[in-house]
Amino acid sequence: MGRPASIEDHGVIGDLRTVALVATDGTLDWLCFPHFDSPSVFAALLDPEKGGHFRIAPDLDGSAVVHKQFYWPDTNVLVTRFYSPDGVGELVDFMPLGKEHRMREVVRRMRVVRGQMTFHLECLPAFNYARDPHTVRLLHGGASFLSETLNLTLATSVKLDTDGQRVTGSFTLHEGQSAVFSLREGAPDSCHDTVLGHESSEALFRSTVDYWRHWLAKCTYTGRWRETVQRSALVLKLMTFEPSGAIVAAPTCSLPESPGGVRNWDYRYVWIRDAAFTVYALLRIGFKEEAGAFMRWLEKRIAELPEGEPLPLMYSLDGSEVPREQELWHLAGYGGARPVRIGNGAAHQLQLDIYGELMDSVYLYNKHGAPISYDFWSHLRRLVNWVCDHWRDKDESIWEVRGGKQHFVYSKMMCWVAVDRAIRLADKRSFPADRARWLQTRDTIFEEIMQKGWCAERGSFIQSYESMALDAANLLMPLVFFLSPVDPRMLSTLEALRQPPAKGGLTSDGLVFRYDVEATADGVSGKEGTFNLCTFWLVEAMTRASVTKPELLDEARLIFERMLGFASHVGLYAEQTSPAGEALGNFPQALTHLSLISAAYNLDKALGHRD
């Protein structure tokens, strides 16, 4: 098959249970089924030879075809258009939702809108991360792929052939004609009754478009960059697991943070931190239902927690433990980046910052969503008391370092946030709480950070008590109201972080590295790109500091709009941006999109009516 498309050369479709990635050449090269964290069926993105793919493309020399990909406006329905000397073809990909939704399936409809074109299709699944063998059975109206753990059926009126592993077919369409392919679970004796024609596929298409448009209509953001914010909201919604309200960090695994390197992780799970940040972003722009669903999911997890145990920092979609980390050496890896990993070893780390993000999201949900219950409060109170007992512990921090625990400044600050929000919530709702102890703990944490987390020599808050390295996570200090955005120490930290790496800073042409990999013992080899989340944090920190330094507002806008230029062709972001401007890391990334929403919201508010 050759080299797969680049990470950024993909659109994403989904049905609130899983997603598929579709490249600009019409290849569906990533799908886990039936859920985000299920084993992959198509994973050519991680191995073009063994991973499995589902390609529909013009039967022409590639140089004779121009590709264009875009979303149907205000939806997660993806259109890939092929321009050729013979005509124009349009491939519409979606997973049905809405009132016409019959079953869970991937629908791919190829239509010729001008002239006539011949297309070739090839569907080659590779079940269970290309570890399980399968057989193919041709049926009336399609074909079934049979494996030990999962059966899939491709229903279509196009004649199919098979070599026992894949199905192939060629078909010619004239202007106005279409061919429809529907991939769904099961192994029927015949597909004849379920083959989608033009009218039935059109009804599913319109129903799905209506679903997404009705959902997006709840968005209350009307400022600058409206389309960008709405696309980010649509992406975050795609990463919501509707049956439970859980929110995954990203729908892919092992897309590298370092080209050809070993920084390859599985993000198809529910990080308490990422999901809590997502709740904040969605609440900001009017999506209260999603915030409420996650709060109910979170309440169940905290209620299940044994007395005295720390809260796991991530969960599987159903609330169970994340699978142990495995290395899949039979897969080549994206661009040769190995090992390919599934499961996540960081699930058993101690990351004290999650309590701050959790309590902040609960506080905001109680304020802007719906008042929380007493029972939920009683579970939260137990967590806050645990934080009071353990905030002095070393941990692995937000960046999940694998080089040993330290006293990370960001973790201490988020412990302060956890206790501070608990105090505010208790006072707001007159809930019973050990206020005296909480107040004392909050003040003690604050004083310690100001003494041990501040480095006068560098004129900046530092990464940990053990290291003088800088850390972009400290940009959150004014965002969580730990410090005033114009406190001299915060302005000095901002200035230090904004220096280029050659001068000891973390910023390259406005884009921000999360830390200096050479100065931070993170336990993993290789370099990284700039961290998109941190760039948006910088924008927001500068926006807030502009109350006394107006010149920072124009600079913040410049950085924000420069960052918008690094989005993919359909407005999506991965975790990082490489020195060459390519997307790095899992894709699309919830943290990037939620921080974009927050930065856009606050920057627009600060700019006011200036334009």
Side-chain angles (χ1 to χ4, degrees):
M1 179 180 163
R3 182 179 168 83
S6 298
I7 293 170
E8 65 270 19
D9 288 337
H10 288 84
V12 184
I13 59 171
D15 63 358
L16 311 182
R17 284 160 179 79
T18 190
V19 306
L21 269 63
V22 181
T24 52
D25 67 356
T27 303
L28 195 163
D29 55 13
W30 180 260
L31 173 67
C32 296
F33 198 85
H35 299 144
F36 295 106
D37 57 0
S38 300
S40 65
V41 175
F42 301 116
L45 197 55
L46 296 179
D47 190 320
E49 301 304 324
K50 298 178 190 167
H53 60 270
F54 182 5
R55 185 188 304 110
I56 305 174
D59 199 3
L60 287 165
D61 173 34
S63 62
V65 181
V66 174
H67 309 269
K68 184 179 181 183
Q69 195 175 60
F70 56 93
Y71 278 109
W72 201 263
D74 300 339
T75 77
N76 281 314
V77 173
L78 190 68
V79 181
T80 307
R81 202 173 272 164
F82 304 98
Y83 300 88
S84 78
D86 299 331
V88 178
E90 202 168 78
L91 176 63
V92 177
D93 284 303
F94 62 97
M95 292 190 197
L97 289 164
K99 63 178 186 294
E100 294 291 334
H101 181 202
R102 307 171 308 160
M103 60 183 73
R104 299 197 49 219
E105 58 190 332
V106 178
V107 176
R108 314 197 74 192
R109 182 174 71 175
M110 177 60 82
R111 179 170 162 260
V112 166
V113 295
R114 286 204 179 95
Q116 74 169 48
M117 294 179 73
T118 299
F119 300 93
H120 182 74
L121 84 92
E122 181 177 73
C123 185
L124 173 63
F127 294 94
N128 191 16
Y129 307 107
R131 293 183 295 191
D132 288 0
H134 70 271
T135 56
V136 178
R137 187 170 51 145
L138 291 180
L139 308 168
H140 184 37
S144 285
F145 304 91
L146 312 170
S147 81
E148 195 175 309
T149 53
L150 181 66
N151 298 322
L152 291 176
T153 293
L154 179 64
T156 181
S157 58
V158 171
K159 183 181 179 299
L160 301 175
D161 298 306
T162 183
D163 63 1
Q165 294 296 296
R166 76 194 76 215
V167 297
T168 57
S170 288
F171 55 100
T172 300
L173 300 174
H174 297 270
E175 190 168 317
Q177 291 183 327
S178 61
V180 186
F181 305 87
S182 169
L183 188 71
R184 60 180 81 108
E185 192 169 1
D189 295 326
S190 169
C191 301
H192 180 66
D193 295 337
T194 57
V195 171
L196 292 169
H198 180 78
E199 287 184 12
S200 52
S201 66
E202 180 70 13
L204 280 177
F205 164 77
R206 291 187 180 221
S207 167
T208 305
V209 165
D210 284 348
Y211 174 88
W212 288 114
R213 285 184 172 165
H214 277 101
W215 181 80
L216 193 60
K218 298 179 207 165
C219 183
T220 56
Y221 180 85
T222 56
R224 303 166 180 83
W225 315 294
R226 184 164 168 251
E227 278 190 30
T228 302
V229 167
Q230 289 186 342
R231 176 53 54 198
S232 288
L234 284 162
V235 173
L236 292 178
K237 179 64 172 175
L238 271 185
M239 287 187 259
T240 304
F241 187 64
E242 192 174 57
S244 69
I247 301 165
V248 296
T252 58
C253 70
S254 262
L255 294 179
E257 296 171 4
S258 179
V262 298
R263 295 170 180 263
N264 317 315
W265 318 110
D266 189 350
Y267 279 11
R268 298 169 302 147
Y269 306 109
V270 189
W271 266 253
I272 295 291
R273 171 194 311 111
D274 299 40
F277 278 144
T278 303
V279 166
Y280 165 80
L282 290 174
L283 274 174
R284 267 275 189 238
I285 55 174
F287 295 104
K288 295 182 181 180
E289 280 180 36
E290 286 70 23
F294 178 69
M295 282 296 147
R296 290 187 289 276
W297 183 89
L298 190 60
E299 185 174 358
K300 286 178 189 168
R301 304 291 80 79
I302 298 173
E304 295 162 357
L305 195 64
E307 188 72 40
E309 287 288 310
L311 186 69
L313 62 108
M314 69 177 91
Y315 290 88
S316 291
L317 290 169
D318 60 2
S320 62
E321 192 174 305
V322 168
R324 66 182 179 81
E325 194 167 287
Q326 296 179 58
E327 296 179 348
L328 305 182
W329 287 97
H330 67 285
L331 293 176
Y334 174 87
R338 301 174 82 193
V340 169
R341 291 187 179 89
I342 57 172
N344 202 304
H348 302 290
Q349 288 187 347
L350 178 65
Q351 295 178 18
L352 292 171
D353 66 285
I354 66 170
Y355 298 93
E357 288 115 6
L358 184 156
M359 286 305 303
D360 195 36
S361 69
V362 173
Y363 173 76
L364 290 167
Y365 179 71
N366 181 83
K367 184 176 180 180
H368 300 293
I372 65 165
S373 68
Y374 166 73
D375 288 332
F376 192 12
W377 171 252
S378 63
H379 299 312
L380 293 168
R381 181 171 57 173
R382 197 156 45 94
L383 284 187
V384 177
N385 286 329
W386 188 93
V387 171
C388 290
D389 290 335
H390 293 275
W391 71 268
R392 285 189 170 89
D393 296 351
K394 294 183 178 183
D395 77 333
E396 277 101 352
S397 93
I398 181 175
W399 306 131
E400 300 178 349
V401 297
R402 298 190 176 201
K405 296 179 179 178
Q406 296 181 46
H407 289 291
F408 285 97
V409 173
Y410 177 79
S411 297
K412 304 299 183 196
M413 176 186 71
M414 294 311 285
C415 287
W416 177 92
V417 171
V419 182
D420 176 73
R421 299 313 189 263
I423 294 167
R424 293 185 193 212
L425 191 50
D427 290 345
K428 179 89 176 164
R429 294 288 306 282
S430 300
F431 279 137
D434 191 349
R435 283 174 173 75
R437 186 191 185 206
W438 290 3
L439 282 163
Q440 184 182 5
T441 301
R442 184 184 69 175
D443 292 350
T444 304
I445 297 172
F446 191 95
E447 297 279 19
E448 183 176 295
I449 292 170
M450 300 308 277
Q451 290 166 15
K452 298 182 180 179
W454 169 257
C455 176
E457 187 181 329
R458 296 209 67 171
S460 174
F461 287 98
I462 47 178
Q463 187 170 58
S464 71
Y465 299 169
E466 296 89 349
S467 165
M468 286 174 61
L470 299 184
D471 191 332
N474 290 332
L475 286 166
L476 240 69
M477 285 182 167
L479 278 54
V480 296
F481 307 113
F482 176 80
L483 271 188
S484 157
V486 293
D487 185 292
R489 292 195 192 195
M490 195 61 233
L491 291 173
S492 180
T493 299
L494 205 53
E495 187 59 32
L497 288 167
R498 288 180 62 204
Q499 295 301 311
K503 294 185 177 179
L506 296 178
T507 304
S508 173
D509 193 36
L511 307 189
V512 183
F513 295 92
R514 57 179 171 171
Y515 51 74
D516 179 351
V517 292
E518 292 178 6
T520 299
D522 63 7
V524 191
S525 63
K527 293 188 179 294
E528 292 189 335
T530 52
F531 216 82
N532 298 333
L533 164 74
C534 299
T535 302
F536 289 123
W537 280 350
L538 174 64
V539 169
E540 200 162 341
M542 290 171 67
T543 299
R544 293 181 189 231
S546 68
V547 291
T548 61
K549 288 185 160 287
E551 68 276 10
L552 288 179
L553 191 58
D554 287 331
E555 191 65 24
R557 180 174 186 168
L558 192 69
I559 292 170
F560 181 77
E561 293 183 331
R562 181 178 290 137
M563 188 61 196
L564 296 187
F566 285 96
S568 78
H569 61 291
V570 285
L572 306 182
Y573 289 91
E575 183 176 54
Q576 301 182 20
T577 301
S578 80
E582 298 172 316
L584 290 175
N586 287 305
F587 177 87
Q589 178 88 354
L591 279 176
T592 304
H593 285 279
L594 63 90
S595 59
L596 182 157
I597 290 172
S598 184
Y601 180 93
N602 287 298
L603 182 57
D604 182 70
K605 192 175 168 186
L607 287 165
H609 300 294
R610 271 183 31 172
D611 294 352

